Amino acid sequence: MARGFFITFEGGEGAGKSTQIERLASKLRDKRYDIVVTREPGGSPGAEAVRHVLLSGAAEPFGPEMEALLFAAARSDHVEQVIRPAVERGAIVLCDRFLDSSRVYQGVTGDLDPDFMAAVERVAINGMMPDMTLILDLDPTEGLRRATARRGQDVADRFEKETVDIHQRRREAYLAIAENEPERCVLIDASKDQEEVEHSITDAVFAALEARATAGSRARADA
């Protein structure tokens, strides 16, 4: 059975990741792909148990190192229980946040040592790198406005409540990741309306799937 395809969605608060994941999932299902939609923190029973601790801010007093380790523990369970089995059976996995969120949120704005973050990442993902990462780029002021409108009367989570300056640093960190890893990352302008963003994502994903299918056909022909 052919290996599946692992796609992650990244970006700041209010960038529209969840909305666009559902739209892409619908289009892929229409093409008869086996689709798994998941999220971080969470996605598996063990990881969901950690999600509340992280987003409620309960771990914040213990510092960014502890948060990074909790994210890593949740990610390891998520990878082994959900992502790897799905990819190995041939499914397309769409994940709302993954390792780049830790690189940005704990590594950059948590000011953690890059060597520490790299070691934690290696253990957490155990080789399960995304095949493709879509980074939804949006001015943080607009992103926080959208997040507030979406949340309504609910309390802001651990990360939404932080200052615009911190969110701007995160945006710049995501842009740096996109620049440094162009073979994996696709930068999407999330300031456009939802339909335009959807078209950009659809075009990028279907082009990647077509390219992989073509490469597979050539490899089989050469075998």
Side-chain angles (χ1 to χ4, degrees):
M1 183 177 297
R3 180 185 182 279
F5 204 66
F6 180 26
I7 305 174
T8 57
F9 283 65
E10 295 283 358
E13 309 303 324
K17 298 181 302 299
S18 299
T19 297
Q20 293 301 331
I21 285 174
E22 291 301 330
R23 291 186 176 205
L24 177 61
S26 178
K27 287 191 173 183
L28 290 168
R29 289 188 183 110
D30 287 345
K31 298 292 185 180
R32 304 294 187 232
Y33 286 104
D34 179 6
I35 302 300
V36 172
V37 174
T38 189
R39 67 177 183 178
E40 290 205 350
S44 64
E48 288 290 336
V50 181
R51 179 181 176 88
H52 175 72
V53 175
L54 289 164
L55 297 188
S56 69
E60 186 178 3
F62 298 98
E65 293 92 347
M66 179 61 73
E67 286 188 319
L69 291 172
L70 287 170
F71 271 109
R75 180 163 299 132
S76 177
D77 189 74
H78 187 205
V79 165
E80 302 307 335
Q81 298 301 318
V82 176
I83 297 172
R84 193 185 310 279
V87 171
E88 288 180 351
R89 76 164 187 259
I92 297 177
V93 176
L94 308 179
C95 187
D96 187 344
R97 297 197 181 283
F98 195 59
L99 61 87
D100 294 302
S101 284
S102 288
R103 291 178 176 182
V104 169
Y105 281 69
Q106 284 75 55
V108 174
T109 57
D111 296 317
L112 293 183
D113 180 73
D115 291 337
F116 169 79
M117 290 300 298
V120 169
E121 179 181 297
R122 283 195 301 272
V123 173
I125 69 171
N126 192 20
M128 185 53 66
M129 278 293 291
D131 297 294
M132 183 179 199
T133 297
L134 299 161
I135 297 178
L136 277 62
D137 178 52
L138 182 67
D139 180 273
T141 301
E142 172 61 15
L144 291 172
R145 186 197 66 77
R146 292 182 185 181
T148 300
R150 176 193 64 207
R151 187 173 64 247
Q153 299 301 312
D154 293 340
V155 177
D157 71 26
R158 155 76 178 86
F159 302 105
E160 289 176 348
K161 69 180 183 180
E162 293 178 312
T163 67
V164 173
D165 287 344
I166 291 176
H167 288 288
Q168 181 59 36
R169 285 182 64 198
R170 289 173 181 155
R171 182 191 191 188
E172 291 166 1
Y174 274 123
L175 292 173
I177 290 171
E179 182 177 358
N180 292 333
E181 299 186 47
E183 71 287 348
R184 173 173 69 92
C185 299
V186 178
L187 194 63
I188 302 293
D189 183 355
S191 68
K192 298 179 180 179
D193 64 45
Q194 290 185 350
E195 286 68 30
E196 289 181 278
V197 175
E198 178 183 352
H199 290 321
S200 296
I201 290 172
T202 301
D203 289 346
V205 169
F206 277 90
L209 292 173
E210 183 177 348
R212 193 185 69 148
T214 300
S217 297
R218 288 173 179 167
R220 288 190 294 273
D222 293 340

